[in-house]
Amino acid sequence: TQLLEQSPQFLSIQEGENLTVYCNSSSVFSSLQWYRQEPGEGPVLLVTVVTGGEVKKLKRLTFQFGDARKDSSLHITAAQPGDTGLYLCAGRFGIGSDMRFGAGTRLTVKP
Amino acid sequence: NAGVMQNPRHLVRRRGQEARLRCSPMKGHSHVYWYRQLPEEGLKFMVYLQKENIIDESGMPKERFSAEFPKEGPSILRIQQVVRGDSAAYFCASSPGQLGGYTFGSGTRLTVV
């Protein structure tokens, strides 16, 4: 079964703190993506990673893809209230296959 | 989410009625995906379509649910004889090909009363 597990499920922090959320699978991803979803809206793509060991930065967000392409992390530096939302990882397990989503990490950043 | 249009945004149906959810993909995108989301949960894959073809419907219940993406017009997700358990947010996404990220619509929130 190709399951994606995300942790933690919920995270509540103060503005200015750093945080890391994780996405893991027992299967190898052909590609992995991170999305952010706000209440009442659809997910918005943040990044796509395809190469094992790849690191991508998007302002205060750093995305890392594991060497074995079975795991990924999202690190946010100096979190802001505007970072509040549901962070979803999604992966393809084969070229051309559709994407499967994890249950998400619900982040709350308090001012 | 600009570009993928879903309508209606909110839909209320009585038990036993039919629900029709529409999705117009981004211009130039020929791949459409439907997902279902319950409160406090992630997205559950339902069906993947290309123009006039169902590519993967492994996530869609065998009964009462159907999807199409005709040559002309939007993709339609149809739920017949709705039950309370069908209440959820239904999201459509599109992509230009089999690789790369998806662009999501804002979803249709179905409430069955």
Side-chain angles (χ1 to χ4, degrees), chain B residues 5 7 21-25 34 51 68-70 72-76:
Chain B
M5 303 303 294
N7 66 82
L21 288 62
R22 295 174 183 76
C23 170
S24 295
W34 285 92
K51 284 285 186 182
E68 62 178 8
F69 188 17
E72 303 289 338
S75 175
I76 305 287

Side-chain angles (χ1 to χ4, degrees), chain A residues 27-106:
Chain A
S27 300
V28 174
F29 297 107
S30 61
S31 67
L32 184 142
Q33 298 171 346
W34 285 92
Y35 292 79
R36 178 167 165 265
Q37 184 180 21
E38 296 190 31
E41 295 298 329
V44 175
L45 179 66
L46 297 174
V47 77
T48 299
V49 287
V50 295
T51 305
E54 186 174 2
V55 177
K56 284 192 174 180
K57 291 183 184 291
L58 184 66
K59 296 183 180 178
R60 294 176 295 100
L61 278 60
T62 301
F63 304 87
Q64 190 158 5
F65 200 16
D67 291 340
R69 291 190 289 135
K70 291 185 176 182
D71 59 276
S72 181
S73 64
L74 159 58
H75 182 79
I76 302 179
T77 304
Q80 300 175 359
D83 295 328
T84 293
L86 178 66
Y87 288 82
L88 296 158
C89 75
R92 283 193 172 93
F93 295 96
I95 301 294
S97 69
D98 46 81
M99 204 169 324
R100 303 302 163 112
F101 282 78
T105 293
R106 198 165 297 275

Side-chain angles (χ1 to χ4, degrees), chain B:
Chain B
N1 294 331
V4 177
M5 303 303 294
Q6 287 189 250
N7 66 82
R9 284 295 302 265
H10 300 276
L11 181 62
V12 179
R13 284 287 177 266
R14 296 188 184 280
R15 279 179 295 171
Q17 290 185 320
E18 178 180 282
R20 292 169 67 100
L21 288 62
R22 295 174 183 76
C23 170
S24 295
M26 274 191 74
K27 189 176 181 180
H29 287 192
S30 58
H31 299 248
V32 167
Y33 314 84
W34 285 92
Y35 289 83
R36 169 187 159 117
Q37 186 176 39
L38 293 171
E40 307 298 316
E41 292 188 9
L43 292 125
K44 295 282 192 254
F45 168 77
M46 296 183 73
V47 62
Y48 163 29
L49 309 104
Q50 294 180 33
K51 284 285 186 182
E52 299 184 278
N53 286 306
I54 297 174
I55 307 303
D56 181 354
E57 57 181 347
S58 59
M60 201 154 67
K62 294 287 187 287
E63 297 181 356
R64 303 190 298 109
F65 285 73
S66 62
E68 62 178 8
F69 188 17
K71 187 176 180 181
E72 303 289 338
S75 175
I76 305 287
L77 178 67
R78 183 184 293 111
I79 311 173
Q80 296 177 303
Q81 300 174 338
V82 295
V83 300
R84 287 234 171 96
D86 296 332
S87 296
Y90 292 84
F91 288 96
C92 167
S94 71
S95 68
Q98 292 180 324
L99 301 176
Y102 295 175
T103 301
F104 278 86
S106 295
T108 293
R109 276 140 197 87
L110 172 66
T111 302
V112 179
V113 297

